Amino acid sequence: MSDMHCPIDERIAELIVRYLDHSINEQELADLQQALADDPQAMLYFRIATMAASNIAARPIAGKRTILETHAIRSSRRATLVRTGMAIAAMIALMLLGWFAMLPKSQKANKPDPTRGLTVSGVALLSDFSKDAVFADANQPRSLGASLPVGRLSLTAGTAQVMFNSTAVVDLTGPCDFQMTEPNRGRLMSGALAAFVPQGAHGFTVDLPDGLRVIDLGTRFAVNLHDSTVRVDEGQIRVIWEKRGVDTRLSAGTEFRFADDKADVLTPMPLADGGFELGGKMTGDTAVVSDLPAGKWLPVQPDSTVSITGGDRGLRARSGKTMLGFYGSGRVREPRGVQRVVSTERGRSYELRFYLARQTNRNVPSIDVDVFDGLPSASTEQLSVLAHQTFQADGPAETWTDAQTIRFTARSQTTTLRFTESPKSDTAGVDPFLDDVSFYLVNEPARTDSSNGADTPDSKREQSK
């Protein structure tokens, strides 16, 4: 048998380099993660390459977007930055390792082994972080590929990415407090994360406060403790909350809401034009509501001063390219706003979600949200009110609020949603803006067979896998 051998498959080496220079595509990323899960030696070389790249690059990332966001989340927005220095560093590291491994044994004895003393220690590695990342612990490793032992990773600002030894990838957004507990398990104590779990890391688990547990069943999912939600982007997850007797599976597009000791499963309902996107019809600074492709939104008054806009001063749409602006001056005398009809089912509960903003801090504008039973009417007195609430756009100027929500129970097959500028709103020098309106069916989650948290036969089978 020849003394010559290749220490790492050429394809894996190529994928590592493409990973480091952000030119890897989604399928290649999945292939790399599977290879790292299957081959401990490949994981070792990945660590060496990332550490070498970190030593040459002045900064690990020239931007806030993480690798998971860039390569794993389906999005039309792709990073264009190529970290040439890091790619060169990775190639040098891999070439050095390959050269040493292919030396005859007689020559190896007189050459230092670049992998000597290196092992895959810890339960995870630091695979990415933004240039504005601030770690609470001054001793936190700040180099790509740094080994992360069991313990806490606290991020006060910026973003960081952790790749577990199982190859499950977690993006953390500061402020965030996360703990690595096992090679395929972590605990989120505060903040938010997004996870991508390849096949080799099936069963990846995130523990949450109050005894909640999220178990991967082949998926991408996100957890936000600020608004107490777990969202499934692809595949399935299992959520267990023994305190409330909950053991349920969620599929792509659904959310699990846990707040005030109450659990709900939210399923998105169709709502065309919820983002007020014009689809290329924008020809000037603003457009009218009737220009929206689906034609579902209608002005409350024919001459209502609401407009689709791409931006106002430094404010931009929360997502997409356009948003809805409630333009006017002084106190609101006539209702100005928009409304639409949605299909509902009698007796079912629904949640309406949206985001508000203002372009300056001069005043605090507010929006009235009304939900009526039946079709729109010129007079609200002729409609049965299902829900009413006033919301303030009280966040910092040019910044969108957290998600605003209002719930109602439908009484018929048609329900009217209405957004109008509140008579209490003082819009002198400032206007409210609305974006990303969405609509959810609210269901109770599946539960265990008793209130003491006993597992159902189905859940026991899942645990045995």
Side-chain angles (χ1 to χ4, degrees), residues 9 41 77 135 191 206 231 286 301 316 347 360 438:
D9 183 270
Q41 186 75 357
R77 296 177 294 178
F135 296 95
V206 176
R231 184 188 73 245
T286 61
Q301 298 288 346
R316 294 294 178 268
T360 76
S438 52

Side-chain angles (χ1 to χ4, degrees), residues 286-289 304-309 323-327 433:
T286 61
V288 294
V289 175
S304 182
T305 54
V306 290
S307 300
I308 308 298
T309 178
M323 56 190 173
L324 185 71
F326 294 74
Y327 291 103
F433 294 84

Side-chain angles (χ1 to χ4, degrees), residues 428-447:
V430 61
D431 302 297
F433 294 84
L434 173 70
D435 204 2
D436 286 348
V437 180
S438 52
F439 181 48
Y440 297 85
L441 174 65
V442 181
N443 289 302
E444 288 245 344
R447 298 184 181 273

Side-chain angles (χ1 to χ4, degrees), residues 77-343:
R77 296 177 294 178
R78 296 285 180 178
T80 57
L81 174 67
V82 177
R83 297 182 291 175
T84 306
M86 299 190 71
I88 293 173
M91 286 189 288
I92 291 173
L94 293 171
M95 289 171 62
L96 172 63
L97 292 165
W99 162 79
F100 178 83
M102 290 187 288
L103 284 175
K105 289 182 178 179
S106 60
Q107 295 186 37
K108 281 185 180 181
N110 299 320
K111 301 290 184 182
D113 183 351
T115 67
R116 183 173 297 164
L118 288 175
T119 59
V120 181
S121 60
V123 296
L125 61 87
L126 185 64
S127 52
D128 207 349
F129 58 93
S130 61
K131 67 178 181 180
D132 61 346
V134 178
F135 296 95
D137 184 356
N139 297 319
Q140 174 67 48
R142 290 182 59 87
S143 60
L144 289 180
S147 180
L148 299 175
V150 169
R152 181 170 292 184
L153 191 156
S154 295
L155 192 67
T156 59
T159 60
Q161 184 187 85
V162 172
M163 178 184 284
F164 282 79
N165 289 354
S166 65
T167 68
V169 176
V170 171
D171 269 345
L172 305 172
T173 302
C176 179
D177 198 359
F178 183 71
Q179 184 177 14
M180 287 75 65
T181 57
E182 297 176 17
N184 201 32
R185 188 168 189 159
R187 182 186 304 276
L188 181 65
M189 292 166 283
S190 65
L193 66 75
F196 168 55
V197 186
Q199 184 177 358
H202 182 88
F204 175 70
T205 300
V206 176
D207 294 300
L208 304 176
D210 206 27
L212 270 87
R213 188 159 76 251
V214 180
I215 303 172
D216 149 75
L217 300 178
T219 188
R220 308 177 198 270
F221 65 91
V223 181
N224 190 330
L225 295 183
H226 299 298
D227 57 13
S228 302
T229 58
V230 179
R231 184 188 73 245
V232 187
D233 296 316
E234 288 185 18
Q236 288 188 328
I237 62 172
R238 179 183 175 198
V239 178
I240 299 174
W241 194 5
E242 293 182 358
K243 175 181 177 181
R244 308 305 301 172
V246 172
D247 189 342
T248 190
R249 296 191 184 203
L250 304 181
S251 299
T254 58
E255 292 186 7
F256 181 82
R257 175 77 59 79
F258 50 98
D260 301 324
D261 277 344
K262 181 172 171 46
D264 292 312
V265 174
L266 281 69
T267 303
M269 302 294 288
L271 192 74
D273 294 337
F276 303 102
E277 296 299 313
L278 290 170
K281 290 186 177 181
M282 194 84 167
T283 56
D285 294 335
T286 61
V288 294
V289 175
S290 59
D291 286 337
L292 289 169
K296 300 297 184 181
W297 290 104
L298 300 172
V300 174
Q301 298 288 346
D303 58 349
S304 182
T305 54
V306 290
S307 300
I308 308 298
T309 178
D312 194 298
R313 303 187 187 184
L315 178 64
R316 294 294 178 268
R318 183 179 178 274
S319 64
K321 296 182 179 180
T322 51
M323 56 190 173
L324 185 71
F326 294 74
Y327 291 103
S329 60
R331 292 287 179 182
V332 178
R333 292 177 175 82
E334 295 294 333
R336 49 183 179 238
V338 292
Q339 60 188 4
R340 67 177 300 158
V341 174
V342 293
S343 297

Side-chain angles (χ1 to χ4, degrees), residues 344-463:
T344 50
E345 186 177 342
R346 180 187 176 93
R348 301 298 297 270
S349 295
Y350 297 88
E351 178 176 290
L352 183 62
R353 188 181 306 173
F354 55 93
Y355 299 82
L356 300 175
R358 54 178 173 163
Q359 77 274 57
T360 76
N361 288 323
R362 181 172 177 178
N363 292 306
V364 179
S366 53
I367 295 291
D368 281 344
V369 179
D370 293 279
V371 182
F372 301 109
D373 179 40
L375 297 173
S377 171
S379 172
T380 58
E381 296 178 357
Q382 300 176 16
L383 295 174
S384 177
V385 180
L386 302 180
H388 167 83
Q389 191 170 339
T390 299
F391 296 85
Q392 291 186 326
D394 55 2
E398 303 173 358
T399 302
W400 291 93
T401 62
D402 292 335
Q404 309 293 301
T405 62
I406 186 170
R407 289 193 176 188
F408 64 94
T409 300
R411 295 180 185 172
S412 66
Q413 294 182 337
T414 55
T415 300
T416 297
L417 312 177
R418 179 175 294 182
F419 294 84
T420 55
E421 193 165 1
S422 172
K424 304 174 184 178
S425 184
D426 186 354
T427 59
V430 61
D431 302 297
F433 294 84
L434 173 70
D435 204 2
D436 286 348
V437 180
S438 52
F439 181 48
Y440 297 85
L441 174 65
V442 181
N443 289 302
E444 288 245 344
R447 298 184 181 273
T448 51
D449 58 5
S450 68
S451 59
N452 64 7
D455 288 329
T456 61
D458 180 66
S459 66
K460 289 180 180 178
R461 283 195 297 272
E462 181 60 37
Q463 288 182 346

